[in-house]
Amino acid sequence: MLFRFALSSLKSRRKSVLLTFLSLLISISVLLSVEHIRSQAEQSFSRTVSGVDLIVGAPSGQLNLLLYSVFRMGSPTNSISYSSYDMLQNHAQVAWAVPIALGDAHRGYRVLGTSPDYFTHFHYGNKQPLVFSSGGAFAQPLEAVIGADVAKKLGYQVGDDIVISHGVGAVSFKNHDDAPFTITGILAPTGTPVDKTVHVSLQGIEAMHMPAKALRQYLSASSETQLNLKPKQISAVLVGLNNKFATFTLQRQLNNYKGDRLMAILPGVALAQLWQMMASVENILMAISGLVMLSSLFGLSTMLLASMQQREQEIAVLRILGASSLTLLMLIVVEALIITLSACLASLLLTFGLFTLFSDTLANHYGLFISANVLSPTNAVLLAGVVVASLLTSLIPAIDAYRNGLHARL
Amino acid sequence: MTAKIPPSSPTQVICVEHLEYAYNKQAPSFVLPKWQIEKGQRIFLHGPSGAGKTTLLNLLAGILVPQQGTIHLLDKPFSTCRDSQRDKLRAQHIGVVFQQFNLIAHLSVLDNIRLAAYFAKQGKQADEHAFDLLHKLQLPDYIASQPASSLSIGQQQRVAIARALINAPELLLVDEPTSALDANARDAFMSLLLNLCEAHNTTVIFVSHDPQLASYFSQKVALQELVTIKEPNHVV
């Protein structure tokens, strides 16, 4: 009966109740989203690369190198010579070295020139290797392996031909039409930027940039000559070491290497630095959403408080019918709870819907892989906190009702 | 056991003794030395405004608590018991009809009546009883599901009677219920009210300043004869 009374009372004030509900809905959604993005981003960042001991590229900042080599964001400011890659491959401490060349795209998806070794050595998450969901690695220059999202979004299958464009934009004015690539393999989803990448061989990258005549000549040559084509420059090299203890020694060596201007970074350290940078932004966001939440709760309390004046008559009637002052207090708290709980539920649905809708955009533009499952343990705790806070703020009008109850007269 | 209980027989609905009440220290106090109401009495209480009619009703309903003296309701201490106890006694044994605004506007007629039953901890049988009362008050069935705000004032006052009587209270307090009604509606209202109270043998205290209504009652009490207003001792 108390619940029904509260519900009916709320319905009779539906305009102000609806506005309060909306303000709560928005602030709870912001709170949930910020926390969700934070935890998911941390997860998706740290799982992006695994098993790589050093990333070697041209000197810039370590974040810049990390971003373009692993997250496919931004572009290399400079290149390193192919001979440096040869040097790394022959280095005693190096177990494997995988070259990467960036700078082209296929319909907005970055193209990564590399060697077939990439598919065996590049790991993600908790040392998980890349797995082909169909087909296999490329063997010929004009063959490509695409990530799971590329295949899904563009509807490609093994055997399809694709044309790569110059530059990394979604729209390009220069297409390498003469050199179409055939898809030989599709990778299983990883939840990392690999899903958004078109992988081709270094030779393929080199070949498609050739003038038409040279390209025809190259393609008619024997496959051995084709595979011997070596680019002059590459963007970066991913390196795995025989002995992890040699990491810092090798890093210092490479940074002081005389043959080329090189910079070596530890992906773990760079990720941590990136994360630290994000953390301060994220703390600010969290604080702001907390404040927005608080102001919404005060709005709820204000709405209920304002209604107290209209309700003096109602309170007198309830008192006469035998309602105790405590019952009146409970009535207001129940009203606040109804609004807050329904706002919590609605914002769960809203954020779930939004993340389902925009997960692709987030992944494409920001490299953030966010799952739509918003109800994480942390968010459950946050929601519980919101409910408790609404209980507390609703005590302000509730105590008013209690006092009114004590002083109500016929 | 009998020694402790004030000298009131079980037939007494209300027994007031040495009651004194003031809204605050500077306000004049309301003094009622003794008043007993027997079961089944129907009393017309009249007096000029400012004589303390409303104060007396609030005291009898247990909304106000006297600073001195006692009120017993059905031989039970009413003014001296705990607040929660008093709320419960009020819910179960006292019905009240006001001048106007008796009903919760956003609830249906039936829910308004159910609310009274809920606070008196009545079970499901309340609904049946409610329809029975609505019939006796010549209100059609369909009105039960209407929102209270859609009713005319005359209908609202009749629903207020139904609500006041749903718990079969021993005491009905009525405060100028006809002030917003025209003469015809007033007569209909009065006869419905008194017939129902007679049928249930309900004790009624009817407060009004309208002498025309006095004819409905055999027992009339002038408030001035009952109550003295004492000025505060230290007038500044």
Side-chain angles (χ1 to χ4, degrees):
Chain A
M1 192 74 208
L2 218 57
F3 179 79
R4 269 184 53 187
F5 186 93
L7 212 59
S8 158
S9 164
L10 288 177
K11 266 193 218 153
S12 72
R13 288 173 287 127
R14 55 177 77 76
K15 268 184 208 153
S16 58
V17 169
L18 190 71
L19 286 175
T20 313
F21 170 81
L22 284 178
S23 121
L24 277 171
L25 171 67
I26 291 170
S27 54
I28 296 174
S29 300
V30 167
L31 197 67
L32 290 185
S33 308
V34 168
E35 165 55 28
H36 188 59
I37 291 180
R38 191 197 64 77
S39 69
Q40 289 280 303
E42 187 167 14
Q43 235 176 50
S44 96
F45 270 55
S46 56
R47 60 181 272 119
T48 309
V49 58
S50 160
V52 176
D53 295 316
L54 283 174
I55 300 173
V56 183
S60 57
Q62 67 168 346
L63 285 184
N64 185 35
L65 178 53
L66 180 78
L67 284 176
Y68 71 70
S69 63
V70 172
F71 289 96
R72 322 270 190 263
M73 288 164 83
S75 353
T77 45
N78 222 329
S79 305
I80 58 174
S81 72
Y82 192 79
S83 58
S84 301
Y85 166 61
D86 278 338
M87 176 274 290
L88 280 167
Q89 233 181 353
N90 298 325
H91 197 285
Q93 297 286 358
V94 172
W96 54 266
V98 172
I100 54 179
L102 295 152
D104 297 284
H106 171 70
R107 295 175 67 178
Y109 292 104
R110 297 292 180 98
V111 170
L112 178 80
T114 185
S115 70
D117 290 345
Y118 179 85
F119 303 109
T120 46
H121 292 307
F122 186 84
H123 289 157
Y124 68 97
N126 192 14
K127 302 217 162 137
Q128 288 162 276
L130 297 176
V131 177
F132 285 92
S133 63
S134 62
F138 45 75
Q140 299 300 315
L142 293 187
E143 288 180 347
V145 169
I146 58 176
D149 279 1
V150 184
K152 201 171 138 199
K153 282 280 128 68
L154 302 178
Y156 289 152
Q157 283 169 349
V158 172
D160 288 351
D161 279 353
I162 58 175
V163 169
I164 286 167
S165 327
H166 197 68
V168 294
V171 176
S172 176
F173 298 107
K174 192 176 175 215
N175 291 328
H176 301 293
D177 296 318
D178 309 333
F181 285 74
T182 308
I183 296 170
T184 61
I186 296 171
L187 293 169
T190 62
T192 73
V194 170
D195 294 354
K196 311 267 170 198
T197 308
V198 175
H199 307 80
V200 299
S201 65
L202 285 178
Q203 291 81 17
I205 296 261
E206 205 55 26
M208 72 184 180
H209 287 106
M210 286 176 180
K213 198 175 158 196
L215 179 66
R216 270 198 302 280
Q217 224 168 39
Y218 171 72
L219 290 176
S220 59
S222 74
S223 66
E224 204 178 329
T225 344
Q226 282 185 7
L227 289 177
N228 275 335
L229 175 69
K230 279 179 185 169
K232 287 189 193 63
Q233 299 198 310
I234 54 175
S235 304
V237 186
L238 307 178
V239 178
L241 300 184
N242 289 322
N243 180 358
K244 308 277 179 224
F245 294 112
T247 312
F248 290 104
T249 321
L250 185 62
Q251 186 190 20
R252 208 164 38 244
Q253 263 179 37
L254 290 173
N255 286 341
N256 296 323
Y257 181 59
K258 295 278 185 274
D260 193 2
R261 294 176 307 123
L262 295 181
M263 177 178 74
I265 62 164
L266 281 72
V269 174
L271 275 171
Q273 195 195 344
L274 181 64
W275 196 245
Q276 228 168 18
M277 230 171 67
M278 306 276 283
S280 61
V281 176
E282 150 208 313
N283 284 341
I284 292 170
L285 279 179
M286 214 50 199
I288 291 175
S289 48
L291 289 175
V292 169
M293 188 68 241
L294 198 65
S295 81
S296 282
L297 287 176
F298 282 136
L300 170 71
S301 163
T302 310
M303 187 273 285
L304 290 172
L305 205 57
S307 78
M308 294 321 301
Q309 287 181 334
Q310 309 158 13
R311 288 207 261 185
E312 261 172 40
Q313 200 67 47
E314 194 174 302
I315 284 172
V317 171
L318 287 171
R319 282 287 284 153
I320 279 298
L321 293 182
S324 65
S325 287
L326 209 61
T327 308
L328 297 175
L329 183 136
M330 287 303 297
L331 208 57
I332 303 298
V333 172
V334 168
E335 284 191 12
L337 272 184
I338 290 176
I339 300 180
T340 316
L341 284 177
S342 48
C344 283
L345 209 66
S347 45
L348 273 178
L349 290 176
L350 180 72
T351 43
F352 175 80
L354 286 178
F355 281 119
T356 313
L357 220 61
F358 291 110
S359 63
D360 280 337
T361 321
L362 283 173
N364 281 336
H365 290 266
Y366 305 104
L368 289 176
F369 289 80
I370 308 275
S371 92
N373 180 18
V374 206
L375 197 60
S376 61
T378 331
N379 269 346
V381 171
L382 272 182
L383 284 180
V386 167
V387 172
V388 170
S390 80
L391 272 182
L392 290 180
T393 46
S394 76
L395 280 180
I396 302 168
I399 286 171
D400 222 45
Y402 181 86
R403 290 229 186 91
N404 272 349
L406 287 181
H407 299 137
R409 307 252 163 74
L410 288 170
Chain B
M1 193 170 169
T2 42
K4 290 268 174 187
I5 290 176
S8 62
S9 70
T11 55
Q12 278 183 341
V13 176
I14 284 279
C15 175
V16 181
E17 287 183 316
H18 314 300
L19 181 148
E20 273 195 52
Y21 177 81
Y23 283 96
N24 55 54
K25 282 189 180 135
Q26 280 81 43
S29 26
F30 174 100
V31 181
L32 175 53
K34 192 161 181 69
W35 196 28
Q36 291 183 347
I37 300 165
E38 305 293 322
K39 195 161 171 52
Q41 279 189 309
R42 276 176 275 288
I43 299 170
F44 183 77
L45 191 65
H46 58 94
S49 48
K53 291 190 297 258
T54 308
T55 309
L56 180 58
L57 279 182
N58 275 309
L59 286 164
L60 291 178
I63 294 288
L64 295 178
V65 179
Q67 280 106 6
Q68 304 258 320
T70 54
I71 302 173
H72 279 75
L73 174 70
L74 300 164
D75 290 353
K76 293 185 192 101
F78 186 48
S79 60
T80 47
C81 66
R82 291 205 326 275
D83 286 356
S84 59
Q85 182 67 22
R86 191 161 44 248
D87 291 333
K88 206 157 86 190
L89 284 173
R90 173 167 58 248
Q92 287 171 346
H93 301 295
I94 302 178
V96 181
V97 179
F98 315 135
Q99 288 185 29
Q100 49 185 332
F101 308 121
N102 273 289
L103 305 182
I104 307 282
H106 57 79
L107 288 181
S108 72
V109 166
L110 188 59
D111 277 344
N112 262 289
I113 300 174
R114 277 177 181 154
L115 201 59
Y118 165 77
F119 286 120
K121 308 217 171 2
Q122 261 204 69
K124 286 278 164 200
Q125 75 275 17
D127 278 11
E128 208 178 310
H129 191 188
F131 277 107
D132 186 41
L133 280 170
L134 289 177
H135 284 165
K136 284 181 181 156
L137 290 161
Q138 297 170 4
L139 290 165
D141 269 356
Y142 74 87
I143 218 168
S145 56
Q146 304 278 309
S149 53
S150 70
L151 268 54
S152 73
I153 292 179
Q155 285 173 322
Q156 283 189 26
Q157 292 301 72
R158 276 189 272 166
V159 173
I161 300 177
R163 192 187 56 189
L165 293 177
I166 185 74
N167 299 318
E170 283 80 356
L171 177 64
L172 183 67
L173 302 175
V174 189
D175 184 17
E176 308 257 17
T178 57
S179 59
L181 302 179
D182 61 39
N184 278 339
R186 189 190 65 199
D187 289 341
F189 177 88
M190 287 307 291
S191 57
L192 281 172
L193 174 72
L194 291 173
N195 286 343
L196 263 179
C197 289
E198 204 151 342
H200 291 87
N201 198 24
T202 311
T203 310
V204 181
I205 299 176
F206 191 103
V207 174
S208 178
H209 65 272
D210 184 355
Q212 281 183 296
L213 294 175
S215 57
Y216 290 96
F217 296 84
S218 55
Q219 205 172 352
K220 304 167 187 75
V221 175
L223 197 62
Q224 306 95 294
E225 293 164 16
L226 209 57
V227 173
T228 49
I229 303 293
K230 202 168 74 184
E231 286 306 317
N233 295 332
H234 49 287
V235 179
V236 184

